[in-house]
Amino acid sequence: MNALSSKLDLEEYLHVLSGYFARKKPLFIEGDSKIHYKFIKELMHITDIKASPEVANLDVPLAHLSKQGVLKIYEIYTFVQIINYFTYLKKILVEDRLGEWMRKIEIPDEIAEICQYFNEKGELKSTIDDTFLSIEQALSRIKEETAQALRRIMSNTKLSLYLVDRQVHYINNQEALLLRGGFNHVIKGSVLGRSSSGFFYIFPDAIASLKSKESALIDRKEELIYTYTKKISTIFSKYVKFLSFVNREFDRFDAYYARVMLAKEKDLEFVLAKKTNTITLHKFSHPALKDPKPISIDFSKHVLMITGVNAGGKTMFLKSILSAAFLSKYLLPMKIDANHSEIGAFKEINAILDDPQNVKNDISTFAGRMGEFSKLFSKKDTLVGIDEIELGTDADEAASLFKVIIENLIKKDIKIIITTHHKRLASLLATHESVQLLAAIYDEKNQRPTYEFINGTIGKSYAFETALRYKIPPAIIQEARTIYGEDKEKLNELIQKNIDLELQMRAQSRELDEKLKDVQKLKSALQDEKERSQREFENSTLKMQKSFNKAIQEAKEAIKSKDVKEGHRFLNKAHEFKKAAKNVTLSQKSEDLKIGDRVKYGNSKGVIQSIKKDIAMIDCDGITMRVPLVSLRRSGNPPTKPSRVMITKPRSNSGVTLDLHGLRADEAIEKLDKFLSDALINGFDEVLVYHGIGTGKLAYAVKNFLSTYPSLVSFGDAPAKMGGYGATLIRL
């Protein structure tokens, strides 16, 4: 793996990733990658999780426990750190798969109690034992007495002439004073060493007794600690299977956590490797590149052959595809549009990129390459990248040889990416159904590579253009062109024309995409306006109904009244409400509009195509809309006239038909709505819609839509000869 990551320029990326791990571990996560992927995706949505503690490998301590051995105090504390971290995670992660996982980790009470023995420094707490507490207190007193004794010594006026400084120095964990020569007349002590300036580090005899007591107490403390390590190790031995389990689970969670932290910090995404032979990358950027130009490729065939200009990015394109497969294989985050990308799961990834020539082993470039190719015939489910495939031998001979080799590797279902400068091999394999061509683009006007690629064609090497760019005299280049041959130059011209045509089509495609976006925005705006007008119309209708109901109620009260004057008053009031209702109706009255008039509907302008009762069909920039006639206002400005496909009435008497077979319900309803609008515009009285019987969902959706559709006379099952239950006859 190290050799492959080096070839793919992923070493720095992996070094950064390793900084997130709590301890060194393999990249591969054992188990089902789909399950790992789901855990990682869940973890991506959780914030503020405390980082896992940095801990040592516990394989050796676990082996000791299995043999009833006694662990060192720091080894015990490493287990304690892991268990404490899971105790913390069990409180934080309580939902979904992560919560379910944490609930499966049940910490035994004896183990949990041991975790309470330690402080955050990894030391046993003095409160766990009375003897331990008394030793700690005695050591504290001795340290204070030692400090006071040293202060008294340094305050001696006779000694002050010999003191270099008034600091207490620690030499081999012993307190010492830094003195000048001749000190032995004023202080007794042991020389522990000399400074770089020639001064003496002196351990005073006056504190020797205190240090002796301290040493004895420390020995007692170490004995007590050893007693506890034996006790704890005995308990741990009972739970060695649990400790092995929790140790593995810690590595598993740490592997997830490191990947997620890297992804969040660098704004990366994950792509789960699937059981497919396809590699589809969308906006992938290689981690080693600074300000990279993202690549996109749909590599669905067995062989991808990349040709074209030198220094045009062919090798990095090859490395990028292999790197994406590598990162996906090990569930590592990458810079990519994951929603539009798909990467196959390959058992092995092989990169043949370097010159294998080795003088010591007497291996030539070509011989080394043949050795690497020979290994491929024993491989299965492998992705291979080969840079400069003809390296080390005659290009024409190599083209014939590699054609046969590649065709046989295709039969073994091996996926291959190839870069080459030579067109002969590309020409030999161009018509093979399993070979995909990709050409690096060169900007002839500015005389530089663009680091972009065109799918489905062979690229020029641009050797003459590159030489001219690097100041080779034009006369020499012209002579070289003559030697190269007129036929070959014509082939280059043909290739260039093909490339230019592809670039032109790309530009047109981008322009059409922009226009399509504008149409979609207009359609959305018109839909919003339609809904707003519909709400206004419904509100006006509701007000009118309320006014009528109120007028009727007042009239009833007038009839019931025995008082004639009171009756007249109620009748007058009823007439007032009726007049108000009439005003509402008049306010909704439309202008005197007819077919062909230019009208304004909200912020949109269009032309009236048809009018039926109080509903008008208008054409707004190629989009047909059915709107209330009262919502239209006359417009003096002509609308745009985009091309539009209209329904034409058939010659037979079978009527206009629409086939919805194979469509989803939402797709079918959208198509049916457009169909009926066009039918109304063209004045058709009867149309036939085929939807089939099947599960009945599509037929139900159609009839449910028609039940609320205005401007329909009737609809129902078609006669048997016209489709029966599998079709609906609609009368407009």
Side-chain angles (χ1 to χ4, degrees), residues 113-388:
E113 184 180 352
I114 289 170
C115 293
Q116 303 303 314
Y117 292 177
F118 292 84
N119 60 25
E120 292 181 355
K121 295 180 180 179
E123 302 168 340
L124 286 171
K125 295 178 181 177
S126 57
T127 54
I128 65 171
D129 186 279
D130 291 340
T131 305
F132 201 89
L133 179 60
S134 63
I135 292 172
E136 287 287 324
Q137 291 172 343
L139 283 171
S140 180
R141 286 195 300 271
I142 288 174
K143 285 182 179 179
E144 181 59 30
E145 290 174 11
T146 302
Q148 290 176 0
L150 287 169
R151 284 196 293 271
R152 285 195 301 269
I153 292 170
M154 286 188 286
S155 64
N156 187 332
T157 54
K158 293 181 180 180
L159 185 64
S160 62
L161 297 173
Y162 299 96
L163 281 172
V164 177
D165 57 40
R166 291 188 171 275
Q167 296 181 10
V168 176
H169 300 268
Y170 285 86
I171 307 299
N172 298 326
N173 293 324
Q174 293 200 60
E175 292 87 344
L177 303 177
L178 186 59
L179 303 176
R180 296 181 177 87
F183 64 86
N184 54 321
H185 297 293
V186 293
I187 187 173
K188 300 297 181 184
S190 305
V191 178
L192 299 181
R194 297 190 69 171
S195 70
S196 58
S197 303
F199 302 122
F200 298 89
Y201 290 106
I202 303 302
F203 175 73
D205 289 347
I207 63 170
S209 60
L210 290 172
K211 296 301 293 181
S212 178
K213 290 179 182 178
E214 183 183 42
S215 179
L217 286 170
I218 289 173
D219 289 342
R220 287 181 60 194
K221 180 180 177 181
E222 291 296 330
E223 289 175 3
L224 192 58
I225 289 173
Y226 181 72
T227 301
Y228 271 97
T229 57
K230 286 177 64 178
K231 174 184 174 183
I232 293 171
S233 297
T234 301
I235 296 171
F236 274 10
S237 295
K238 289 166 49 182
Y239 296 101
V240 67
K241 289 185 177 180
F242 167 76
L243 294 174
S244 297
F245 163 73
V246 83
N247 183 54
R248 287 193 308 272
E249 296 301 276
F250 177 79
D251 269 335
R252 179 183 166 192
F253 185 85
D254 185 45
Y256 297 161
Y257 182 83
R259 286 163 166 80
V260 168
M261 289 300 102
L262 178 60
K264 287 183 176 181
E265 182 175 316
K266 304 292 184 181
D267 192 24
L268 308 178
E269 297 184 70
F270 294 89
V271 178
L272 175 66
K274 298 180 180 179
K275 291 184 177 179
T276 175
N277 198 36
T278 298
I279 298 178
T280 302
L281 305 181
H282 189 64
K283 295 183 179 179
F284 172 80
S285 297
H286 192 286
L289 297 178
K290 307 299 181 185
D291 299 322
K293 180 176 287 187
I295 70 165
S296 297
I297 181 69
D298 183 4
F299 179 20
S300 55
K301 296 186 178 182
H302 279 89
V303 177
L304 177 64
M305 182 168 289
I306 310 171
T307 59
V309 61
N310 190 26
K314 298 193 302 296
T315 300
M316 184 48 70
F317 198 98
L318 179 150
K319 288 183 178 181
S320 294
I321 297 174
L322 295 182
S323 296
F326 177 90
L327 297 173
S328 178
K329 178 181 177 69
Y330 294 103
L331 264 179
L332 300 175
M334 63 189 90
K335 194 73 173 177
I336 195 172
D337 180 355
N339 291 329
H340 298 91
S341 300
E342 182 177 310
I343 302 175
F346 299 95
K347 185 177 181 181
E348 188 175 340
I349 300 171
N350 198 341
I352 305 175
L353 308 178
D354 305 322
D355 186 344
Q357 189 176 58
N358 191 314
V359 176
K360 183 178 178 181
N361 297 327
D362 193 27
I363 298 177
S364 69
T365 297
F366 185 68
R369 278 290 175 95
M370 287 299 98
E372 291 175 317
F373 271 98
S374 65
K375 297 174 185 176
L376 298 179
F377 287 95
S378 60
K379 305 287 186 183
K380 288 184 178 180
D381 194 20
T382 300
L383 175 65
V384 183
I386 309 161
D387 192 32
E388 302 299 343

Side-chain angles (χ1 to χ4, degrees), residues 467-479:
L468 188 63
R469 178 185 170 197
Y470 286 98
K471 310 303 182 185
I472 300 297
I476 293 176
I477 294 173
Q478 185 56 45
E479 185 178 349

Side-chain angles (χ1 to χ4, degrees), residues 447-567:
Q447 296 185 348
R448 61 179 180 82
T450 64
Y451 305 106
E452 295 181 351
F453 298 84
I454 292 180
N455 192 35
T457 188
I458 300 172
K460 284 177 61 179
S461 63
Y462 294 98
F464 300 135
E465 291 83 354
T466 304
L468 188 63
R469 178 185 170 197
Y470 286 98
K471 310 303 182 185
I472 300 297
I476 293 176
I477 294 173
Q478 185 56 45
E479 185 178 349
R481 287 182 186 275
T482 302
I483 295 172
Y484 182 66
E486 184 179 347
D487 291 342
K488 292 181 179 178
E489 190 61 29
K490 284 182 178 179
L491 175 60
N492 279 337
E493 290 176 5
L494 184 61
I495 292 171
Q496 186 61 47
K497 286 181 180 178
N498 187 37
I499 291 172
D500 291 341
L501 181 60
E502 177 67 24
L503 292 174
Q504 184 182 355
M505 290 176 63
R506 283 190 180 186
Q508 291 175 348
S509 178
R510 286 193 294 269
E511 185 179 348
L512 288 173
D513 287 342
E514 291 300 320
K515 289 183 178 179
L516 181 60
K517 288 180 183 177
D518 292 339
V519 171
Q520 292 294 343
K521 288 180 182 178
L522 177 60
K523 182 179 179 181
S524 178
L526 290 173
Q527 183 63 30
D528 293 341
E529 184 65 25
K530 177 183 176 181
E531 291 174 358
R532 186 188 65 78
S533 298
Q534 184 66 29
R535 287 194 299 271
E536 290 180 357
F537 182 75
E538 290 173 355
N539 290 336
S540 298
T541 303
L542 184 61
K543 288 179 182 178
M544 191 167 62
Q545 288 175 346
K546 287 182 178 179
S547 297
F548 272 121
N549 291 336
K550 201 166 186 182
I552 292 169
Q553 186 62 36
E554 293 292 342
K556 288 181 180 178
E557 293 294 329
I559 293 169
K560 291 179 182 177
S561 175
K562 296 179 180 179
D563 189 336
V564 175
K565 291 184 178 180
E566 186 71 9

